[in-house]
Amino acid sequence: SRPLRIELYGDDAPASVAFFSALCAGTLRAPCDAALDYESTAADVCRENVGRDVGYVGSQCWRLVPGRRIDFGRVDSAFSSRIPPVLASERRPEYENGLTASSAGAVSMRRGGGAFEFTVSPSDDKNSFLAKEDLVLLGRVTEDSMPFLKEIENFPTRKDIVTVGGVPPLGDASLVRACDFTAPSRTCAQFKPLVRIIVVGISVEPLGASVEPLEASVESLGSPVEPLVAPAEPLGASAEPQ
């Protein structure tokens, strides 16, 4: 496993950073979705785990678009029917150095809450796609962790064509909507990593305005390989074959 350290900007987006930090610490309280069919499997799983707080351990990287975005935080199935809290809409922080959600290493979440997932920009995106979304900048991957972030960016992904001659994949029109980048979806396979990247452990260390989350190990497709050697510190993701 390997650490991916993140420095958080708690003074600029306190509510969003507190939400993210609670997920890192595994202490977030979130209720089951009241709209679930009471007899459904999802409702049963949610009730069985309702006493557990939601956290990022066991969550996955679910979308990887090289040069543009890496989306983390797809929570474990035990929490998939929980309702994320809605937060006060914080302003978009402005920084003297011009840092935005599209800057290399920038970490952001949906402004106003409502989603567990978070996004990391692997490179400086000149088209500023992420900066155009309604996101709040939480922090930035530290310089010493950027090489590992670039390794993750280079993992292979599915690159399905969304439409061919006006016909969506599998003939299912819902998949076009599902692949909308502004909202997480469990049915969209476009840009899905072909290795499983899982958070295996998290350490939160308040160092002024710093938090050190994410740690990852990788297994190649087909056959497992030894985890990459690195100090066992913060937030961990492991990659396993799909």
Side-chain angles (χ1 to χ4, degrees):
S1 63
R2 297 180 61 182
L4 186 67
R5 297 184 179 88
I6 299 172
E7 179 183 16
L8 298 180
Y9 304 145
D11 293 337
D12 297 290
S16 299
V17 168
F19 175 38
F20 180 78
S21 298
L23 285 163
C24 289
T27 58
L28 183 78
R29 294 294 179 92
C32 293
D33 185 351
L36 288 173
D37 180 350
Y38 188 84
E39 302 296 331
S40 67
T41 300
D44 287 342
V45 171
C46 201
R47 287 193 297 269
E48 289 171 5
N49 292 279
V50 72
R52 295 174 57 192
D53 293 339
V54 182
Y56 280 141
V57 171
S59 67
Q60 298 188 38
C61 169
W62 60 282
R63 182 169 57 197
L64 197 169
V65 186
R68 187 179 299 183
R69 65 191 302 150
I70 303 175
D71 292 311
F72 293 94
R74 173 60 50 80
V75 294
D76 183 90
S77 58
F79 307 129
S80 61
S81 296
R82 301 291 187 90
I83 300 298
V86 175
L87 310 174
S89 291
E90 297 172 298
R91 65 179 179 83
R92 293 173 179 267
E94 299 291 339
Y95 295 94
E96 293 180 2
N97 60 5
L99 186 66
T100 73
S102 292
S103 300
V107 179
S108 56
M109 294 185 85
R110 183 188 298 178
R111 189 162 67 100
F116 297 125
E117 293 82 1
F118 66 98
T119 299
V120 180
S121 176
S123 308
D124 285 316
D125 179 8
K126 295 180 180 179
N127 293 312
S128 299
F129 284 105
L130 288 175
K132 297 172 185 176
E133 293 186 21
D134 197 15
L135 303 173
V136 168
L137 186 65
L138 302 177
R140 193 172 193 175
V141 173
T142 59
E143 193 66 33
D144 61 325
S145 287
M146 284 301 293
F148 183 42
L149 183 65
K150 299 302 289 186
E151 288 182 35
I152 295 175
E153 182 187 17
N154 290 325
F155 288 162
T157 63
R158 288 188 61 175
K159 298 179 178 63
D160 295 352
I161 298 174
V162 176
T163 58
V164 179
V167 179
L170 307 179
D172 184 350
S174 68
L175 291 185
V176 175
R177 295 191 298 274
C179 289
D180 179 1
F181 281 178
T182 62
S185 170
R186 297 183 181 278
T187 59
C188 179
Q190 192 177 25
F191 294 109
K192 181 179 180 180
L194 293 178
V195 292
R196 190 173 299 166
I197 306 166
I198 303 174
V199 175
V200 296
I202 304 174
S203 160
V204 180
E205 299 181 12
L207 303 172
S210 288
V211 174
E212 298 187 8
L214 254 129
E215 188 176 313
S217 68
V218 179
E219 294 178 11
S220 65
L221 291 172
S223 59
V225 293
E226 292 185 15
L228 298 171
V229 177
E233 295 177 17
L235 203 154
S238 76
E240 299 174 4
Q242 294 283 35

